[in-house]
């Protein structure tokens, strides 16, 4: 019996607090089910017009965006902090630097080429959401890249090469083609999708269902297509 390794594509933005939670839930579900899956971080930007630098804190920025008070914004952030804490993540919105994430996605592309995409993706989300790092800053990205096995030259190439930027844009276009309207978005074996930071149990149900789909027998007989028959 042939066993096909499950592939899961995860569209996310490093700026998205729910993406880190959702990815952590996925990792736990895979571990609890003892599933060895190929995971691929996919690029998505929540706001391409996000500034390269910012002097506005995350809580103040949320208040400005939605026209609410600072206290209301803090209350909203606190609910996300509690959700993250339940997943053993420790968000720090008071020190979060909310800037454009495109450069980080560029480095992600190079990390994926070297088989380090999953490690780099998690490192950037942790740096941004838990440690108040500026993920648009070249030196920060070089340090994060080195922490997972990339070289300074790898990161510099990612930040300067036009073809890397083009690849990120192509991944974002692919997101539209597969129906991504928000992140995190999980596509399992190109067939089954989940959207949002789903609980671990929901993730496990989806993974079990995907395994059943994978194991379903396929019966192929002679067919005619494209104006001819295979005789």
């Amino acid at each position: 019996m042939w066993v096909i390794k499950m592939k899961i594509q995860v569209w996310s933005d490093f700026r998205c607090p729910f993406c880190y939670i959702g990815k952590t839930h996925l990792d736990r579900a895979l571990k609890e089910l003892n599933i060895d899956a190929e995971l691929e971080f996919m690029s998505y930007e929540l706001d391409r017009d996000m500034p390269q630098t910012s002097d506005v804190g995350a809580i103040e920025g949320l208040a400005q965006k939605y026209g609410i008070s600072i206290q209301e914004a803090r209350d909203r952030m606190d609910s996300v902090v509690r959700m993250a804490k339940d997943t053993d993540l420790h968000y720090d919105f008071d020190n979060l630097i909310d800037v454009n994430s495109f450069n980080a996605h560029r480095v992600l592309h190079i990390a994926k080429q070297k088989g380090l995409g999953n490690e780099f993706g998690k490192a950037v989300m942790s740096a941004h959401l838990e440690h108040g790092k500026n993920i648009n800053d070249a030196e920060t990205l070089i340090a994060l890249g080195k922490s997972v096995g990339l070289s300074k030259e790898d990161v510099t190439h990612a930040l300067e090469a036009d073809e890397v930027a083009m690849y990120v844009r192509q991944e974002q276009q692919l997101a539209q083609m597969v129906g991504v309207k928000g992140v995190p978005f999980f596509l399992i074996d190109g067939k089954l999708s989940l959207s949002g930071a789903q609980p671990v149990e929901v993730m496990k149900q989806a993974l079990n269902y995907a395994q059943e789909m994978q194991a379903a027998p396929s019966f192929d007989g002679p067919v005619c297509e494209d104006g001819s028959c295979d005789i």
Side-chain angles (χ1 to χ4, degrees):
M1 177 179 178
W2 289 95
V3 178
I4 303 173
K5 188 174 183 178
M6 183 181 292
K7 178 171 182 178
I8 306 175
Q9 293 168 294
V10 184
W11 271 270
S12 59
D13 190 356
F14 303 115
R15 296 180 51 243
C16 166
F18 299 115
C19 289
Y20 198 10
I21 295 171
K23 176 60 170 55
T24 303
H25 286 175
L26 172 63
D27 289 340
R28 288 189 178 180
L30 289 167
K31 183 177 181 179
E32 290 180 18
L33 293 175
N34 196 29
I35 295 176
D36 180 21
E38 177 188 348
L39 301 178
E40 182 181 9
F41 267 93
M42 306 293 287
S43 292
Y44 189 95
E45 283 182 279
L46 292 169
D47 185 359
R48 292 190 183 186
D49 297 323
M50 197 69 189
Q52 301 291 323
T53 59
S54 177
D55 296 325
V56 178
I59 295 174
E60 182 182 352
L62 183 69
Q64 293 176 358
K65 182 175 181 178
Y66 292 104
I68 58 179
S69 69
I70 293 293
Q71 187 57 52
E72 288 176 307
R74 183 174 294 280
D75 289 342
R76 292 191 187 186
M77 291 291 202
D78 285 345
S79 68
V80 180
V81 169
R82 289 192 295 272
M83 184 186 300
K85 190 174 181 180
D86 289 340
T87 315
D88 294 329
L89 302 176
H90 304 283
Y91 287 0
D92 183 3
F93 290 122
D94 285 322
N95 293 304
L96 186 146
I97 302 172
D98 200 11
V99 290
N100 195 288
S101 61
F102 188 67
N103 277 342
H105 286 291
R106 292 173 68 124
V107 182
L108 172 65
H109 169 60
I110 296 299
K112 289 201 298 182
Q113 284 188 335
K114 295 182 176 293
L116 299 169
N118 194 40
E119 293 81 359
F120 181 76
K122 290 195 290 186
V124 176
M125 288 192 291
S126 177
H128 175 61
L129 294 162
E130 297 184 290
H131 301 292
K133 300 295 184 180
N134 182 343
I135 60 170
N136 182 59
D137 175 69
E139 291 303 317
T140 298
L141 291 171
I142 289 170
L144 290 172
K146 285 183 175 180
S147 74
V148 301
L150 296 177
S151 67
K152 179 178 179 179
E153 290 73 23
D154 291 331
V155 178
T156 301
H157 171 69
L159 297 176
E160 295 177 353
D162 290 340
E163 66 268 21
V164 175
M166 182 174 64
Y167 183 87
V168 174
R169 293 302 184 207
Q170 288 174 344
E171 271 198 5
Q172 293 171 340
Q173 291 173 356
L174 180 59
Q176 294 180 331
M177 293 174 62
V178 301
V180 180
K181 299 186 184 304
V183 287
F185 184 92
F186 308 89
L187 185 63
I188 306 174
D189 287 335
K191 301 174 183 177
L192 181 65
S193 64
L194 292 89
S195 181
Q198 299 289 349
V200 174
E201 288 305 315
V202 173
M203 290 283 192
K204 288 167 68 175
Q205 291 172 16
L207 292 169
N208 279 326
Y209 182 67
Q211 283 188 311
E212 292 172 2
M213 292 172 62
Q214 190 183 80
S218 176
F219 303 97
D220 297 317
V223 296
C224 296
E225 57 184 355
D226 297 329
S228 64
C229 296
D230 185 13
I231 299 175

